[in-house]
Amino acid sequence: MFVLYGATGDLARRMVLPAFFELAQHGLLPEDWRLIGSGRGERTDEEFVEHVRSALAEFGPDPDEGPWDDFAQRLRFAGGGFTADDPGQLLDAVATARKEIGDDAQLVHYLSLPPKAFTDYTRALGAHGLGEGARVVYEKPFGASPEGFRELDDLVHSVFDEEQVFRIDHFLGKEGTQDLHALRFANGLFEPMWSREHVAQVQIDVPEDLDVADRADFYDATGATLDMLVTHLFQVAAEVAMEPPVSFSADDILSARESVLANFRPLAPEDVVLGQFEGYRELDGVPDDSDTDTYVAARLFIDTGRWRGVPFLLRTGKRMAAKQQRVSLVLHRPKGPVNDVPANGNVVSLSLAGAGAVDIDVMAKKPGPDLAMAPARVSLDLSKIPGGEPLAPYVSLIHDVLIGDRSLFTTSEGLAQTWRALQPVLDARPEVHPYAPGSWGPAAANALTGEHGWLLGQTE
Ligand code: BG6
């Protein structure tokens, strides 16, 4: 049984409800289930069904291309809001659903709410005894500052055990991100090279070409560092840097990824470049003197034996020249007789977008009479793997919640470590450089990468 708080809000409409229907299309929902939408307004079940149908019509998948009738008859709505003092219609709706599908149905609370509402709803879940045995899903950001994180974390742990909590970072649900551990640990080609002995630097580069016009208010209070760096980019860095998990079980993968966050060296402010695209302050909802970063580049070090001294270059920004999501391991030049291998001649790169892709840059003999070397690329589009049915990140993550698999979620301890690593930048915020829309961001970030430069932007 799934209770969706904020069921008529924007996030539910764009992401959660479509993901749920996609699970139905793939046959990945339990045999019997109910989804109770919770919201402040009053709606009948029928009106909620109509709402869901219109969300699907707008954001897909097409309701007519799936088991819509069966899906629709399992949707319920509980209006009147939900607070610690007043549960509205929710407790009745949960009791009725339990009668319909049985007391042993797993209860899942999905807080599809603005982060500032997490506290009140968590309290309300505790006050009405809905925490026991349940799973609970929190959207990002789980706390927007070190203090905010700690307060929320303490409150959540007063109602739920850590094992009940599923904090979403949808980058971890991407097919390409999951391939970082799949590819690495399943291939003799990759596992032995995954260390400082072979890797000169790692680049995690997520340029975006869109601006933030449709959510300028939210964005201006957040900025790229909080929206993307301390969340998605740090988690992906941990995914790259983790030690081999004991096994491929959910718990072992989770603990391998989250425990390496403790080895993130606190970022030195001089290793961070912030930017703001020109024209940002003219957007509706953005103050004329806003100092918000729409771009961040950072050089992170991870102090494990495996990665000591290897810079992890992290970059993201709005209104940049391209939209890409790339993790690249740049290899050292081989020692030996070939002395003209360029700095970026050997690169293993994964795209995290869509179903994911692997590209390997190698040096090869240029066909012809001479022994001359030329760069070449081997590419594997992971969507072409026979029988594969790529899942969108939200679909994959909600499925994991339903089966109780926490491997792709963040942990309380891990998040505490991400804030620890960011703290120096919060204490001494670097200056914000302007950059031209459609560019690769402030030139000041080029110095972070040494002789390698940023891989994206050189070849695009
Ligand atoms: C979100 C950020 O979490 O991730 C957005 O808030 C960003 O600013 C988005 O654009 C990028 O993710 P994706 O998977 O939609 O490209």
Side-chain angles (χ1 to χ4, degrees), residues 140 170-171 174 208 215 227-228 232 318 323 325:
K140 179 208 80 139
H170 78 280
F171 267 56
K174 287 177 185 275
E208 298 184 290
R215 51 180 195 138
D227 183 40
M228 298 285 289
H232 305 318
K318 305 292 182 196
K323 177 166 170 63
Q325 306 189 327

Side-chain angles (χ1 to χ4, degrees), residues 26 175 355 381-391:
H26 287 279
E175 293 278 2
D381 175 350
L382 298 172
S383 71
K384 300 275 158 54
I385 293 181
E389 286 187 49
L391 296 181

Side-chain angles (χ1 to χ4, degrees), residues 192 263 272:
N263 299 97
V272 175

Side-chain angles (χ1 to χ4, degrees), residues 349-416:
S349 173
L350 272 96
S351 167
L352 307 184
V358 185
D359 297 294
I360 305 179
D361 290 337
V362 296
M363 298 300 291
K365 178 181 171 297
K366 190 171 184 177
D370 303 324
L371 185 51
M373 307 304 288
R377 174 169 280 203
V378 189
S379 294
L380 171 63
D381 175 350
L382 298 172
S383 71
K384 300 275 158 54
I385 293 181
E389 286 187 49
L391 296 181
Y394 266 82
V395 181
S396 180
L397 292 174
I398 295 175
H399 179 246
D400 286 349
V401 173
L402 294 173
I403 62 173
D405 177 336
R406 294 176 67 239
S407 57
L408 304 178
F409 294 83
T410 60
T411 61
S412 161
E413 268 175 47
L415 291 183

